[in-house]
Amino acid sequence: MTQMLPLNDGRSIPQLGFGLWQVPAASTAETTATALRLGYRLVDGAAAYGNDAGQGEGIRASGLPRDDIFVTTKIWNSDQGFDKTLRAAEASLKRLALDHVDLLLIHWPCPGKDLYLDTWRALIRLREEGRARSIGVSNFQEPQLTRIIGETGVTPALNQVEINPRLQQPVLRAFHAKRGIVTQSWTPLGQGHSFDAEPIRAAARRTGRSPAQVILRWHIQIGAAVIPRSTREAGLRENLGLFDFTLTEAEMATIAALDEGQRCGPDPTRFEMD
Ligand code: NDP
């Protein structure tokens, strides 16, 4: 149903998953179990989403073996620092009711706090202790990546960053490729802002797919992992249909031309919210 991408630590990650940001806590278990039953194998959560108990509950309710599911969570900004991160990770695992996650990320670098290096050292410890099978970051820019790699010798397996047709981040993606870091796209559908763009509509017409499927397929073909969110079963199902059609090189080029460098989310060089 989905392809796997190799990680630089010898493990691999499903290229397609689903995200839990803004999924209400009360329905997260049901959404998670439904998505897993439909065929998703990666669940992207975070302490900050306030729904990780439901994330864990949905994983158990799916009836799938734990090892078949790739579980991601993230350390929130106010938990940065070595000891706080160790405690926050334990608290996340307790809420999830799991003994390990597959991927633990630093949610935002918060360069003003200057704690991301200590936080990274805690993630390395958590990986050694088996509490996280793989470790990575989110919203990191090249200087922060270079610093944590240089100081610890450990390269993040993945950087989860905003990518959609209007914000394509080609320079950061090239850096990731050079360092063996998987790019994972958040807000991949860009709040629907490109659904009506002519290159998307034209590719949708030719392939008989929806604009959302065309955009998600574009992520797959640029080599990124992708984690769309839908709280509708029909949306979850639609977003799984990415591996039985291909965009042409010409279509990929017209979509590349939609890049305006414009974000939907916060600017990671300034975002420090606790
Ligand atoms: P998405 O780009 O996934 O878009 C979600 C929106 O698109 C929802 O309103 C959804 O509505 C709609 N949608 C989904 N599928 C379709 C479809 N097939 N056709 C039409 N509309 C559709 O946005 P998110 O911002 O949620 O990003 C995805 C995930 O990325 C998050 O859930 C989270 O896990 C992660 N993330 C990480 C961040 C970070 O800092 N690391 C920041 C932001 C997000 P409906 O539910 O009605 O289908």
Side-chain angles (χ1 to χ4, degrees), residues 19 21 44 138-139 160 187 189 227 229-232 238-239:
W21 181 51
D44 183 79
S138 178
N139 300 303
Q160 183 183 110
T187 307
L189 295 170
I227 44 170
R229 158 179 59 104
S230 181
T231 46
R232 297 170 299 115
E238 184 179 320
N239 298 344

Side-chain angles (χ1 to χ4, degrees), residues 18-23 44-45 49 74 105 107-108 138-139 160-161 185-192 195 210 212-213 216 227-232 234-236 238-239:
F18 68 100
L20 290 177
W21 181 51
Q22 290 186 332
V23 175
D44 183 79
Y49 301 165
K74 314 186 188 85
L105 304 178
H107 206 145
W108 293 87
S138 178
N139 300 303
Q160 183 183 110
V161 293
S185 307
W186 65 252
T187 307
L189 295 170
Q191 298 169 352
F195 283 7
S210 70
Q213 286 174 315
L216 295 172
I227 44 170
R229 158 179 59 104
S230 181
T231 46
R232 297 170 299 115
L236 285 167
E238 184 179 320
N239 298 344

